[in-house]
Amino acid sequence: MSAIDTWVARQRERAAHLPGAALPWLTPRRADAIARFADLGWPTSRLEAWRHTSLAFLEQQALAAPESAAPAATLATLRAAFDDGGHWLVFVDGQFAPTLSAIGTLPAGVTAGALSDALNTAPDAVEAAFGSADDNASPYALNLALCSDGAFVRLARGTALEQPLHLVFIGATGAADSHLRNLIVADANSEASVVEHHVGGGATLGTVVTRVQAAQDARITHVKLQQQDAQAIHVAQIEAEQARGSHFASHSLSFGARLARNDIRTRFNGEGCETLFNGLYHVDGRRHVDHHTLIEHARPLGTSREYYRGLVDGNARGVFAGRIIVAQDAQRTDAVQRCDNLLLSRLAEADARPELEIYADDVKCAHGATVGQIDEDALFYLRARGIDEVHARQLLTYAFAAEVIERIAHDALRKHARTALLARLPGGATLEELL
């Protein structure tokens, strides 16, 4: 039996026990998804979109459930870092953990809970937002076929969630693979900030799909903090659909896992949409991180800003491939795309490929990328003012990354992101005292 056949057999074994197994619309979607995965197999370097991040090694690798810290202790550490009065939905090894969650009192018109529960209580609403495997890469087809849980968030028209909603996914010792699916449905003029945490060890392979539907004039901020242990393989997709006048901000901070792949995309389905893609990744050792982004300006008067920065150390590799498509009807589009990488060792490697694909003639678009080392002139400037070389390098490294973190508007989220970055940088404790 091939490795692909093993996954197909695994889906058949689990199918009857997955949430929503009795729903007539979900069973065929799962069947189509596993068929698509079986047809495509794991992405290899022969595919342009996966040229730098082949998953072919999963054909030979046997997955095993690793050891990890106790979920309660992991959650306590995380919650201690926040003082924002937020709402907390916690999942352990791909399953909702109600005893660890603290949802609190939600405003009228706001629903936040486990996807597994929503499939029973609001199947029609879930069906409209669930998505399909069409045109998605094979790992995300596998996610649809095997997803065991996730979050379902619904914001009624005109509602606002003033405090952040935290979606916490903790890896423990329950399974070798984990597949999560989050659905965020924001009706017209609604607003919320959602923080997606991935911490601990847990599954060797984890796939995550987060789908956002932003109706007219809705405002959704999504912050993702990926801080998994060194053995994890994290493959994730964030996909948004934006109606007229909506605003979607995506902040992706990747600080963990031995291999992390993040596909982030949005489509402007109405005039006057705005989006911000903001990302920071730090990789060291032999770790690998890949961000692939797509912004589709399908309607006029859209504005997009995309900024990614990478800190690459050791023998690690950081990859960024961003694509902005401006359709023929998307006149008066304003788009900026940029990726900058700082190499912290001689063996570190960074690949940056920004792309613009423009079919309209009344647009303002720009893109660029840099890969380099610490500026020697800036280093000399700091040393001339009495700062030793080690601390000068630490300050310049932090300053390079801090610009991304400062774009996070929420104070508590920005503070935690800064702390998470400093925990990864050499000399971070000293830097924290100075800042």
Side-chain angles (χ1 to χ4, degrees):
M1 179 180 290
S2 70
I4 298 301
D5 291 337
T6 300
W7 284 103
V8 173
R10 186 173 302 183
Q11 196 274 338
R12 290 173 180 167
E13 292 171 2
R14 298 180 185 178
H17 307 287
L18 291 172
L23 294 173
W25 60 266
L26 184 53
T27 299
R29 288 198 204 185
R30 290 191 186 274
D32 290 345
I34 196 64
R36 179 173 176 80
F37 173 77
D39 181 55
L40 296 176
W42 291 110
T44 71
S45 57
R46 292 191 296 272
L47 298 174
E48 180 61 27
W50 295 80
R51 184 158 58 100
H52 300 299
T53 311
S54 171
L55 298 182
F57 66 92
L58 290 173
E59 292 278 358
Q60 292 81 33
Q61 178 169 314
L63 301 182
E67 295 295 326
S68 185
T74 301
L75 178 63
T77 301
L78 182 62
R79 292 198 62 176
F82 285 87
D83 185 21
D84 57 10
H87 311 275
W88 295 75
L89 282 172
V90 181
F91 299 80
V92 178
D93 287 334
Q95 303 292 333
F96 179 54
T99 58
L100 295 177
S101 300
I103 301 175
T105 303
L106 297 171
V110 176
T111 301
L115 177 62
S116 54
D117 292 335
L119 283 165
N120 294 323
T121 60
D124 293 341
V126 173
E127 179 183 7
F130 199 81
S132 69
D134 297 344
D135 301 324
N136 275 332
S138 60
Y140 310 123
L142 183 67
N143 174 276
L144 192 154
L146 287 171
C147 62
S148 59
D149 216 338
F152 179 74
V153 182
R154 177 71 181 268
L155 305 166
R157 183 184 185 93
T159 57
L161 194 58
E162 294 183 0
Q163 305 302 332
L165 173 63
H166 296 268
L167 310 179
V168 184
F169 302 99
I170 302 175
T173 59
D177 62 301
S178 174
H179 309 277
L180 295 150
R181 201 169 188 88
N182 305 310
L183 307 179
I184 302 170
V185 181
D187 290 346
N189 292 290
S190 60
E191 183 173 356
S193 294
V194 179
V195 190
E196 189 177 317
H197 306 264
H198 295 273
V199 293
T204 299
L205 170 66
T207 68
V208 186
V209 171
T210 298
R211 290 176 49 82
V212 179
Q213 292 183 339
Q216 182 174 339
D217 295 320
R219 299 182 65 85
I220 297 297
T221 297
H222 180 268
V223 182
K224 179 181 175 183
L225 290 162
Q226 190 276 110
Q227 298 172 281
Q228 291 176 294
D229 292 348
Q231 76 275 13
I233 301 168
H234 180 87
V235 184
Q237 182 179 70
I238 300 167
E239 49 183 347
E241 296 178 5
Q242 296 183 239
R244 180 187 179 98
S246 61
H247 181 277
F248 174 61
S250 168
H251 304 274
S252 177
L253 308 176
S254 187
F255 298 149
R258 65 169 164 137
L259 184 150
R261 165 77 180 219
N262 298 280
D263 286 276
I264 307 172
R265 64 191 191 187
T266 189
R267 177 181 172 85
F268 293 177
N269 292 324
E271 294 186 4
C273 294
E274 296 182 17
T275 198
L276 168 65
F277 281 11
N278 184 46
L280 175 66
Y281 46 93
H282 176 269
V283 278
D284 54 11
R286 301 189 66 86
R287 296 170 53 238
H288 181 106
V289 64
D290 183 348
H291 280 83
H292 264 62
T293 69
L294 173 62
I295 300 175
E296 295 185 75
H297 286 261
R299 303 296 297 164
L301 300 170
T303 301
S304 64
R305 295 291 182 265
E306 184 171 6
Y307 306 104
Y308 282 79
R309 289 200 167 189
L311 300 171
V312 191
D313 204 350
N315 291 75
R317 187 176 192 180
V319 178
F320 169 83
R323 187 179 177 202
I324 294 177
I325 301 177
V326 182
Q328 185 174 359
D329 294 335
Q331 302 294 344
R332 299 178 67 182
T333 286
D334 184 354
V336 174
Q337 180 188 64
R338 186 162 189 87
C339 176
D340 300 289
N341 289 273
L342 184 61
L343 302 180
L344 301 176
S345 75
R346 295 182 62 184
L347 297 178
E349 183 176 351
D351 300 275
R353 190 181 65 187
E355 296 181 9
L356 296 176
E357 191 173 326
I358 303 172
Y359 299 97
D361 54 15
D362 182 10
V363 302
K364 183 169 66 174
C365 298
H367 70 314
T370 62
V371 177
Q373 297 176 321
I374 288 177
D375 188 302
E376 292 297 327
D377 290 339
L379 186 62
F380 176 80
Y381 177 87
L382 291 178
R383 295 193 66 189
R385 278 148 183 79
I387 301 176
D388 64 80
E389 182 175 355
V390 172
H391 287 90
R393 288 185 178 276
Q394 292 170 351
L395 283 170
L396 291 172
T397 301
Y398 173 79
F400 175 84
E403 186 174 332
V404 172
I405 292 175
E406 292 306 312
R407 292 193 188 97
I408 301 175
H410 192 279
D411 290 341
L413 301 183
R414 186 171 62 251
K415 179 181 177 182
H416 181 73
R418 185 185 298 117
T419 301
L421 171 64
L422 290 172
R424 292 206 55 83
L425 296 179
T430 301
L431 281 174
E432 192 165 14
E433 295 176 359
L434 297 175
L435 297 173

